[in-house]
Amino acid sequence: MNAMNVKDFGKVAVLFGGTSAERAVSLNSGSRVLAALKRQGVDAHPFDPAERALDELRGFDRVFIALHGRHGEDGTIQGVLELMGIPYTGSGVMASALGMDKWRTKLLWKAAGLPVPDYALLNADSDFAEVEEELGLPLFVKPACEGSSIGITMVKRRGDLAAAYALAAKYDPLVIAERGILGGEYTVGILGDQVLPIIKIEPATEFYDYEAKYNRDDTQYRCPCGLPEAQELRIRGQALEAFRVLGGRGWGRVDFLMDEAGNPHFLEVNTSPGMTDHSLVPMAARVAGIDYDALVLRVLALATKG
């Protein structure tokens, strides 16, 4: 995209910040996106919904959503923008809402024949000992509707599930316990119809937690990921199917775990992926020959009204 037609985007709002538990990550993502757009001559402006009334968006021609978590990635802001008739980046209302809900994502994927880890829903009355017995250890406990690994615990000892539930329940009343799949953590970026190279994530911590994602420099990212080409292509095809089953569009990221036999187990979809210096979609795009600035423009060009 050359300098002449970036003007076609008109006045662009970059939405970042917001009110979710992922506000700090969103501020990081959005400031980088804003800078990239400005470097390329786009008339881009910051817009933090936590600090400005949403009706002020009516003066904009297009919106780049760099919000993460609730009220930014869950379909709510998407619905507002559709009512206003403003094109926006990423998935629509339904896919955003589903992608934010790990439990309902799993239900749809299972119905479509896609592999997911065994899991159980937890509440305060759950028989935690029975869940530990059924799923085995280790297992992961997570809020169903949070991102960035917020509220997640890896349970390795019998009797620890109750405390892990209590932590996750602080973030969401819907809590999932998930069987630990320990053959490796991977992610697949999607950009329009293009599936980006798979990244293998090798955290120095026990799992890819918030610290490993954003604050540590010893997490290793392998791209190329090391899988045989035929296997990688097959999984990339499954990831695109997983994205589309939810109604995903524009761009996104699908996370999965590999078991020891080399079979993927899909975890979740990110419909507003991170764009920080540690983020995965920019990393995979770079391997595919798309630099950060070009990636930001391509995402913006995919914006639709719903």
Side-chain angles (χ1 to χ4, degrees), residues 39-223:
R39 277 194 297 271
Q40 297 172 95
V42 177
D43 181 21
H45 303 264
F47 195 106
D48 186 345
E51 298 175 352
R52 297 177 67 178
L54 291 176
D55 62 6
E56 293 181 45
L57 286 168
R58 293 188 187 279
F60 290 92
D61 301 300
R62 190 171 289 230
V63 169
F64 193 116
I65 298 176
L67 294 165
H68 307 313
R70 296 173 193 269
H71 304 137
E73 197 172 354
D74 61 359
T76 52
I77 195 72
Q78 289 79 8
V80 168
L81 292 167
E82 288 194 16
L83 286 170
M84 290 182 173
I86 304 172
Y88 61 90
T89 57
S91 290
V93 174
M94 181 189 70
S96 299
L98 287 170
M100 195 68 200
D101 188 323
K102 297 178 179 68
W103 175 47
R104 289 172 175 85
T105 291
K106 290 180 195 303
L107 293 176
L108 278 173
W109 283 348
K110 286 185 78 170
L114 291 160
V116 300
D118 291 336
Y119 68 93
L121 289 181
L122 302 180
N123 59 49
D125 299 321
S126 294
D127 185 332
F128 295 118
E130 183 178 318
V131 172
E132 289 173 346
E133 182 67 32
E134 285 184 1
L135 291 180
L137 298 176
L139 55 82
F140 291 89
V141 178
K142 57 184 73 172
C145 297
E146 282 292 351
S148 292
S149 298
I150 289 169
I152 292 187
T153 303
M154 181 180 185
V155 175
K156 298 182 291 181
R157 298 183 308 177
R158 293 195 182 280
D160 287 355
L161 180 54
Y165 164 77
L167 173 63
K170 291 179 180 178
Y171 296 94
D172 195 310
L174 190 62
V175 175
I176 295 173
E178 201 169 65
R179 184 193 301 276
I181 307 290
L182 304 178
E185 298 187 55
Y186 297 81
T187 195
V188 191
I190 293 166
L191 182 60
D193 295 325
Q194 181 178 1
V195 184
L196 299 174
I198 294 175
I199 297 175
K200 184 178 184 184
I201 303 158
E202 297 178 349
T205 49
E206 282 189 309
F207 67 97
Y208 194 40
D209 60 9
Y210 188 96
E211 281 294 308
K213 284 182 177 177
Y214 302 113
N215 297 329
R216 297 178 66 110
D217 293 321
D218 53 3
T219 302
Q220 298 294 311
Y221 301 97
R222 310 290 183 196
C223 192

Side-chain angles (χ1 to χ4, degrees), residues 238-289:
Q238 287 179 293
L240 184 59
E241 180 187 358
F243 187 61
R244 289 184 169 164
V245 160
L246 298 184
R249 68 162 190 244
W251 72 311
R253 209 186 75 230
V254 180
D255 299 339
F256 69 93
L257 299 173
M258 196 81 82
D259 65 22
E260 280 82 351
N263 301 307
H265 298 258
F266 290 96
L267 281 178
E268 64 178 292
V269 162
N270 294 272
T271 54
S272 181
M275 290 292 281
T276 74
D277 57 340
H278 281 62
S279 292
L280 300 166
V281 171
M283 199 179 300
R286 195 163 55 245
V287 173

